[in-house]
Amino acid sequence: MDLAYRYHLFPMSFSCLTTIILLLGSVLASVKDGQDEIDRLALLEFKARIADPSGVLSLWNDSSHFCDWYGVTCGRKHRRVTILDRGSKKLSGVVSPHIGNLSFLRGVNLENNSFHAKIPPHFGRLLRLQKLSLNNNSFSGQIPSNLSYCSNLLVLDLGFNMLEGNLLMELGSLSKLQVLKLQFNSLMGNILPSIGNLSSLQKIGITWNNFSGTIPETLGQLRNLKILYLSINKFTGTIPISIFNISTLAWLGVGENQLEGGLPSDLGFTLPNIEIISMGHNHLTGPIPESLSNASNLEVIQIDQNNFTGKVPSFSKIRGLFWFILAKTT
Ligand SMILES: *[C@@H]1O[C@H](CO)[C@@H](O)[C@H](O)[C@H]1NC(C)=O
Ligand SMILES: *[C@@H]1O[C@H](CO)[C@@H](O)[C@H](O)[C@H]1NC(C)=O
Ligand SMILES: *[C@@H]1O[C@H](CO)[C@@H](O)[C@H](O)[C@H]1NC(C)=O
Ligand SMILES: *[C@@H]1O[C@H](CO)[C@@H](O)[C@H](O)[C@H]1NC(C)=O
Ligand SMILES: *[C@@H]1O[C@H](CO)[C@@H](O)[C@H](O)[C@H]1NC(C)=O
Ligand SMILES: *[C@@H]1O[C@H](CO)[C@@H](O)[C@H](O)[C@H]1NC(C)=O
Ligand SMILES: *[C@@H]1O[C@H](CO)[C@@H](O)[C@H](O)[C@H]1NC(C)=O
Ligand SMILES: *[C@@H]1O[C@H](CO)[C@@H](O)[C@H](O)[C@H]1NC(C)=O
Ligand SMILES: *[C@@H]1O[C@H](CO)[C@@H](O)[C@H](O)[C@H]1NC(C)=O
Ligand SMILES: *[C@@H]1O[C@H](CO)[C@@H](O)[C@H](O)[C@H]1NC(C)=O
């Protein structure tokens, strides 16, 4: 009885186990397929919201796996989308919220197209995102505060759009950010001092917006900064002295604001790597620092339409200087 029981039990449980294993296998496979399926659906939804006169997305169809679609790159281990690169493809339309489902995305490049409407907050779900280039489109509305969840962002390029509203404080949490480009939009309000916390920043470009208030002194904390372009805004007050202390700085643009005050006399020594100084169209006063003649990498000095006084230093030592504008300086 016992034996017979065992005899019947073992084969039964064996086949049961087999069934369970087989079941488990197919469940696991379907989970894996399911994840693939999320990406495939998201890409198709992305495509569905886009007018594509050149037909570059018509090749996104089921005759091949989405990892083989043009402009799509997948990871090697898991077949999930890591890069979406459809820049300069004459695309127009809106970016589908489904973009937020491509949870393995590290890079998104949609620059030089004609996308409009708001930047979907669903980008905030892309926690692996390192590079987001949406520049040169027609995005409008505010920069979604949800972008602050993309804490791995290295490059945020939203220039040449129609973005408006304030630059949100939340961006202060993008602690790895190296490049912040917001030029040619209609952004306004103050640049908050917390920008000084983004210690990896190398490039800041916010030319041609409506930013106002004073230039935060905390920018001087950015010890890796090479490019600082604040031109064509409504900044007032003086240029914080701390900025002339960023020895890595190569390009400094603050032209066409309402800045006043003078320049430190040792400017040419504290900015040894400076290549471009663009400060035209402000209310700057005082002498043009003599030490500028020691900044041997200078290529462009544009300081016209100010109230500088005194002698113009000799730039005869600077071989690369090819553009020097100081007209209408008194
Ligand atoms: C589907 O994509 C393939 C290339 O992957 C292309 O050759 C084919 O023409 C496409 N089909 C349609 C209907 O666009
Ligand atoms: C976008 O356009 C600019 C200017 O024409 C160009 O330098 C850049 O390479 C373009 N980007 C892409 C992804 O094609
Ligand atoms: C993908 O994203 C959309 C919109 O954010 C959502 O409605 C949908 O449920 C998500 N999931 C899948 C599996 O598509
Ligand atoms: C924007 O994109 C268009 C079309 O690709 C291109 O011709 C133009 O040079 C780009 N402008 C900028 C500022 O990148
Ligand atoms: C904003 O980002 C958070 C964090 O990733 C996410 O939970 C939320 O769904 C996002 N909002 C939208 C509208 O996708
Ligand atoms: C700045 O604001 C003024 C006045 O509201 C407006 O006329 C101008 O177009 C704005 N400039 C930008 C770059 O948005
Ligand atoms: C960020 O910067 C602000 C102002 O400069 C400062 O008060 C704050 O403590 C900083 N926060 C972090 C997390 O470093
Ligand atoms: C400039 O840098 C020096 C040395 O790094 C520091 O002692 C000084 O406080 C800084 N000055 C300003 C105005 O940031
Ligand atoms: C230069 O100073 C004069 C006299 O103080 C003033 O009238 C003029 O507006 C100033 N110009 C600039 C560009 O600040
Ligand atoms: C700065 O330039 C002046 C004038 O050319 C020169 O006399 C002086 O030695 C230079 N100083 C340094 C520290 O290079």
Side-chain angles (χ1 to χ4, degrees):
M1 174 77 180
D2 208 29
L3 261 179
Y5 181 69
R6 279 182 184 219
Y7 178 78
H8 280 106
L9 188 68
F10 277 126
M12 254 179 74
S13 70
F14 182 71
S15 75
C16 235
L17 206 63
T18 314
T19 311
I20 287 169
I21 287 171
L22 284 175
L23 263 173
L24 204 65
S26 67
V27 165
L28 282 176
S30 77
V31 165
K32 192 181 155 289
D33 285 353
Q35 288 175 341
D36 270 31
E37 187 59 13
I38 292 174
D39 281 18
R40 195 184 71 88
L41 272 179
L43 288 171
L44 289 176
E45 289 289 338
F46 173 79
K47 172 183 166 176
R49 300 275 197 108
I50 296 174
D52 173 26
S54 313
V56 291
L57 299 184
S58 68
L59 306 177
W60 285 18
N61 63 51
D62 286 333
S63 71
S64 56
H65 190 272
F66 63 80
C67 289
D68 298 324
W69 292 351
Y70 289 103
V72 175
T73 305
C74 290
R76 249 177 265 153
K77 256 193 296 182
H78 32 66
R79 304 273 279 169
R80 306 293 303 275
V81 181
T82 55
I83 294 172
L84 181 57
D85 184 0
R86 294 281 73 188
S88 301
K89 293 288 180 276
K90 300 190 169 70
L91 305 177
S92 60
V94 302
V95 173
S96 165
H98 279 78
I99 192 107
N101 293 353
L102 296 170
S103 51
F104 281 70
L105 270 180
R106 280 188 281 110
V108 175
N109 181 0
L110 300 176
E111 65 188 33
N112 303 343
N113 284 300
S114 301
F115 287 101
H116 67 272
K118 290 187 175 175
I119 297 173
H122 307 78
F123 276 109
R125 299 172 57 195
L126 304 178
L127 306 184
R128 293 176 169 89
L129 198 60
Q130 294 178 351
K131 188 171 175 191
L132 179 57
S133 299
L134 303 178
N135 55 304
N136 196 11
N137 279 283
S138 300
F139 287 107
S140 57
Q142 299 222 1
I143 299 174
S145 59
N146 233 21
L147 281 185
S148 64
Y149 291 109
C150 304
S151 56
N152 283 303
L153 265 185
L154 306 177
V155 176
L156 179 60
D157 188 351
L158 307 177
F160 298 93
N161 279 292
M162 291 148 59
L163 299 168
E164 51 193 25
N166 293 354
L167 187 55
L168 297 153
M169 187 166 73
E170 288 90 338
L171 293 186
S173 64
L174 302 179
S175 62
K176 296 181 181 168
L177 203 61
Q178 294 170 359
V179 177
L180 177 63
K181 291 192 189 173
L182 303 171
Q183 68 267 43
F184 292 86
N185 279 291
S186 293
L187 299 164
M188 54 186 272
N190 294 0
I191 301 292
L192 296 167
S194 58
I195 196 165
N197 295 345
L198 305 183
S199 58
S200 303
L201 273 175
Q202 295 169 8
K203 301 179 184 176
I204 300 176
I206 61 170
T207 297
W208 196 294
N209 279 285
N210 262 333
F211 287 116
S212 57
T214 55
I215 299 173
E217 188 175 347
T218 54
L219 283 173
Q221 297 165 17
L222 303 176
R223 310 313 296 183
N224 298 304
L225 202 60
K226 294 193 180 72
I227 297 180
L228 180 60
Y229 264 33
L230 310 176
S231 304
I232 320 183
N233 278 289
K234 295 195 167 73
F235 288 114
T236 52
T238 60
I239 305 171
I241 195 89
S242 63
I243 285 181
F244 300 109
N245 220 3
I246 308 173
S247 59
T248 48
L249 207 58
W251 296 6
L252 174 60
V254 295
E256 298 196 40
N257 280 290
Q258 294 150 30
L259 299 166
E260 52 193 30
L263 302 178
S265 62
D266 58 355
L267 178 67
F269 301 122
T270 58
L271 298 180
N273 297 303
I274 198 76
E275 294 170 6
I276 297 177
I277 293 181
S278 172
M279 299 183 165
H281 296 258
N282 279 293
H283 310 298
L284 300 171
T285 52
I288 302 170
E290 180 82 38
S291 64
L292 268 177
S293 64
N294 295 69
S296 54
N297 294 325
L298 259 184
E299 291 171 8
V300 173
I301 309 174
Q302 182 169 7
I303 55 174
D304 61 309
Q305 308 280 352
N306 278 292
N307 265 337
F308 287 115
T309 50
K311 217 173 92 198
V312 176
S314 158
F315 293 107
S316 57
K317 280 202 313 186
I318 304 180
R319 297 170 147 253
L321 190 65
F322 66 85
W323 197 19
F324 181 35
I325 303 176
L326 49 60
K328 292 213 176 157
T329 292
T330 42

